[in-house]
Amino acid sequence: MSAATSTLDELKRELGELKDLGRIAALLAWDQQVMMPPAGAAARADQLSTLGRLMHVRSTSPELGKLLDAAEPVAAGLDPDSDDARLVKVARYEFEKEVKVPQDLRAELTRAASESYVAWVEARKNSDFAGFQPYLEKTLELKRRYIECMAPETEPYDALLDEFEQGATAAEIRPIFARLKEALIPLVRAVGSSGAVDDAPLRRRFPIAGLQQIEQQVLARFGFDPDAFRLDPTVHPFETAIAISDIRLTTRYEVEGLESLFSSVHEFGHGLYERQIAPELDSTMLARGASLGWHESQSLLWENLIGRGLPFWERFAPELVDVFPELGSLGAAEIYAIVNKVHPDFIRVEADETTYSLHVILRFELEQEMLSGELPLSELPVAWNQRMHDYLGIEVPEDRLGVLQDVHWGIGSLGYFPTYTLGHLRASQLWQRISRELPDLPEEIGRGEFGSLREWLRENVHRHGMKFMPKELQERVLGGPIDPEPFLARLREKLTGIYGQALIP
Ligand code: ZN
């Protein structure tokens, strides 16, 4: 074995063990939310915190720094797109980020997040923003210190964004969001209160056994392979990968209509992304999605472009009616209209595709104003409610349904929300390219066949894992930056079909 190979092998062994520790933590977290009896909570918190500490020590160790120093000259001699060269590059990026933040600040951020979470749960229950405000104040203060360590020279918000979407900047997101606002607000105003779509047939609780049956039929068609996937009920659905051959999806059934089906389909999109990463990356840190915004593009593609599409319902409406005979003669076109109905509402996670981004934009704007100090926290609820009025035309009755609804600020995650909308926009950009390259896809979906779509996604997006930075992958797959126009064009076409030309501004 040459010296060069052994240098790389040593680095890969160290990174591989770090990857293992991360996946063990993911398995413990999955178990905590899916299987663990409630009395295990305290012990589990200790176990996860021990693992977190071990991972932090090893991922910032001087030894890892030396291994990287030694591997970089070797990697410089490789094809820059090779797995090894990319691994060294990504490992260096993450190492530098980790070591920039002092250990005591990391610990304070973690502690503040868990204290804040407890306060947020209580505050939301009582709709008591004042009870949560000091914790949010503390979060902001720690975030400002974090930003000072990370990137004092850039716009402050960018250091927060970078945690979830590497390389993204507020300056490039602002004009995209401005364009969305300009197009979406009039659309919502025009059709949001229209009575044109009667959603009564699906506004009911279906028996769980039936929901599980239709979900199994759908996921089996999508490519849910029981040898590599699991699906379990939980409270807040999520997906996690323990390995590319061990994908855990979750969903929840205590919801109205077909929400549990869409939730499963959404998480399947996340899971398929990780399932189709190239096997040779599996033991490395490259074996995960490129960013949150890329991950969300995959879940939303399956949820909104497939699962809420007309061809899908042409295939599955008869199967749904077979499972729930009480739906009578409900057909594909009616289901399609109902599951795409525009309904301005308070709660982001229940929003439809048209109003969703307005919820995100409101949060993106408020986060920047809070961070800069321009908006005093005592005025946050008023600012929130004013923007809900301006963007969605609704009056928030209490903070539980407004500023306190999301867990994100409760656990100190600022800069996260924009990735949802980046995912929406990327999904539509991908769809535009897929529709060109797979012209028979609507017929295939109508026959319940998804193989060519899966292969397209594997070849163009999934297999790379996080070999490429989000923007590099964007350039490679979509040939240009994030663009809101394909999303807006598709939305307009869809709403024109459902609501009629006359209503669409
Ligand atoms: Zn998601």
Side-chain angles (χ1 to χ4, degrees), residues 266 270 296 299:
H266 180 100
H270 283 304
E296 209 57 20
S299 52

Side-chain angles (χ1 to χ4, degrees), residues 191-192 197-199 202 258-259 262 300 303-313 332-344 351-355 487 490-491 493-499:
V191 298
V197 176
D198 175 16
D199 59 4
L202 293 182
L258 301 177
E259 282 313 305
F262 290 120
L300 291 170
E303 181 188 346
N304 287 337
L305 292 120
I306 305 291
R308 293 181 204 273
L310 192 53
F312 173 89
W313 284 108
E334 288 161 282
I335 298 175
Y336 169 72
I338 294 173
V339 300
N340 287 290
K341 181 179 174 163
V342 179
H343 55 93
D352 59 87
E353 201 189 7
T354 310
T355 55
F487 169 72
R490 188 177 60 73
L491 202 59
E493 191 186 323
K494 178 177 89 172
L495 296 180
T496 303
I498 293 171
Y499 288 95

Side-chain angles (χ1 to χ4, degrees), residues 178-455:
R179 169 71 181 120
L180 288 176
K181 259 161 79 172
E182 169 197 77
L184 293 176
I185 292 172
L187 260 183
V188 172
R189 199 166 295 150
V191 298
S193 56
S194 139
V197 176
D198 175 16
D199 59 4
L202 293 182
R203 230 179 28 232
R204 63 170 92 182
R205 290 283 179 93
F206 293 103
I208 293 179
L211 289 171
Q212 286 174 323
Q213 189 185 331
I214 186 74
E215 161 193 282
Q216 271 167 22
Q217 288 168 212
V218 167
L219 292 187
R221 286 277 169 187
F222 280 3
F224 178 103
D225 161 14
D227 281 344
F229 284 84
R230 279 187 67 91
L231 172 64
D232 297 272
T234 190
V235 182
H236 301 290
F238 65 99
E239 175 270 345
T240 195
I242 312 303
I244 64 173
S245 52
D246 181 354
I247 307 292
R248 312 289 174 101
L249 316 180
T250 62
T251 191
R252 57 176 180 155
Y253 297 103
E254 281 71 28
V255 281
E256 205 169 63
L258 301 177
E259 282 313 305
S260 70
L261 174 64
F262 290 120
S263 161
S264 303
V265 166
H266 180 100
E267 301 307 335
F268 171 81
H270 283 304
L272 186 69
Y273 191 175
E274 311 233 18
R275 175 78 184 115
Q276 299 208 111
I277 290 172
E280 50 280 18
L281 298 181
D282 196 24
S283 63
T284 78
M285 65 205 298
L286 302 182
R288 59 173 204 247
S291 67
L292 285 191
W294 270 102
H295 240 298
E296 209 57 20
S297 76
Q298 297 308 296
S299 52
L300 291 170
L301 189 136
W302 285 90
E303 181 188 346
N304 287 337
L305 292 120
I306 305 291
R308 293 181 204 273
L310 192 53
F312 173 89
W313 284 108
E314 276 159 0
R315 162 77 204 195
F316 288 103
E319 294 192 21
L320 184 73
V321 171
D322 268 352
V323 175
F324 299 120
E326 63 268 37
L327 290 176
S329 62
L330 196 68
E334 288 161 282
I335 298 175
Y336 169 72
I338 294 173
V339 300
N340 287 290
K341 181 179 174 163
V342 179
H343 55 93
D345 212 334
F346 310 114
I347 304 295
R348 174 186 58 86
V349 298
E350 291 167 11
D352 59 87
E353 201 189 7
T354 310
T355 55
Y356 194 97
S357 290
L358 292 169
H359 288 268
V360 168
I361 292 169
L362 168 155
R363 287 155 176 79
F364 171 70
E365 292 172 350
L366 293 176
E367 283 185 342
Q368 293 168 80
E369 292 165 26
M370 283 193 274
L371 197 63
S372 70
E374 184 188 328
L375 176 68
L377 283 193
S378 56
E379 290 169 26
L380 180 62
V382 174
W384 178 289
N385 296 349
Q386 181 62 46
R387 260 168 257 220
M388 284 300 276
H389 169 88
D390 295 346
Y391 300 172
L392 291 173
I394 56 179
E395 308 301 326
V396 179
E398 50 178 345
D399 291 341
R400 196 170 57 82
L401 301 174
V403 67
L404 288 172
Q405 67 182 270
D406 297 304
V407 70
H408 302 60
W409 293 347
I411 54 169
S413 282
L414 275 82
Y416 188 123
F417 287 117
T419 66
Y420 293 120
T421 286
L422 299 182
H424 272 101
L425 303 182
R426 272 198 188 110
S428 285
Q429 283 183 276
L430 284 167
W431 194 246
Q432 199 176 45
R433 203 187 136 190
I434 291 168
S435 304
R436 240 184 352 251
E437 294 179 18
L438 302 176
D440 299 332
L441 187 59
E443 287 73 39
E444 289 172 22
I445 295 173
R447 293 195 298 269
E449 293 165 12
F450 298 89
S452 63
L453 174 62
R454 274 199 310 274
E455 276 315 305

